[in-house]
Amino acid sequence: MSITTQIYGNDFGMAFYWNRKDAVQRDKIQLVFKETGFNLTFSELEKFALLISESQSRTNCCKDCKLKNQCNRLLLQTPAKQIDLAVSIEELEGIQDLVDGTLFKIKVQNYIFGAGRN
């Protein structure tokens, strides 16, 4: 058995569970992007999705800027209250896809092996 079980990945990062003692540890999700790792619970990951949406709503002023994809002027709050990340719009979109895709895959798996079972 490998030491991780991948949940979701994109060109920007990946999300996985750690495996310990031949069992998948599903209580925390390891999210890795931009040379940074966060070990989050499902509810913290959902909170992170909301924080990303809030950051995206503040990007309207960048719509016509020629440097919007190279600029690291957006401050993304994280579920760790002491940590904010400086990101570009492109990075923010990559992080959003990573978090949304991870949440979707977990919810589908929970449905298939939980409520959706006959």
Side-chain angles (χ1 to χ4, degrees):
M1 177 177 240
S2 112
I3 60 170
T4 63
T5 300
Q6 186 169 345
I7 303 166
Y8 182 77
N10 61 16
D11 291 339
F12 197 69
M14 66 182 295
F16 58 88
Y17 296 117
W18 286 104
N19 299 331
R20 290 190 176 74
K21 297 182 182 175
D22 296 328
V24 178
Q25 303 297 303
R26 297 184 187 274
D27 57 325
K28 294 274 189 153
I29 300 112
Q30 184 73 47
L31 197 66
V32 179
F33 60 88
K34 199 178 177 186
E35 296 144 10
T36 305
F38 290 97
N39 199 18
L40 305 171
T41 64
F42 185 79
S43 62
E44 289 170 330
L45 192 60
E46 288 181 311
K47 180 179 180 180
F48 197 23
L50 292 173
L51 293 169
I52 293 166
S53 292
E54 289 173 10
S55 288
Q56 280 196 316
S57 69
R58 294 189 298 267
T59 64
N60 289 337
C61 62
C62 303
K63 192 172 19 178
D64 298 324
C65 179
K66 294 176 184 175
L67 299 174
K68 70 180 178 183
N69 289 325
Q70 291 88 22
C71 178
N72 287 339
R73 296 202 181 248
L74 298 173
L75 200 57
L76 172 60
Q77 292 180 318
T78 69
K81 293 183 181 195
Q82 304 87 343
I83 300 172
D84 293 339
L85 302 172
V87 298
S88 68
I89 290 176
E90 188 175 274
E91 290 169 333
L92 186 63
E93 290 168 354
I95 296 167
Q96 181 182 30
D97 176 73
L98 181 61
V99 170
D100 289 348
T102 301
L103 287 169
F104 176 77
K105 292 278 274 224
I106 292 171
K107 287 176 184 178
V108 167
Q109 289 296 315
N110 288 345
Y111 179 77
I112 290 171
F113 297 110
R117 288 187 101 165
N118 291 333

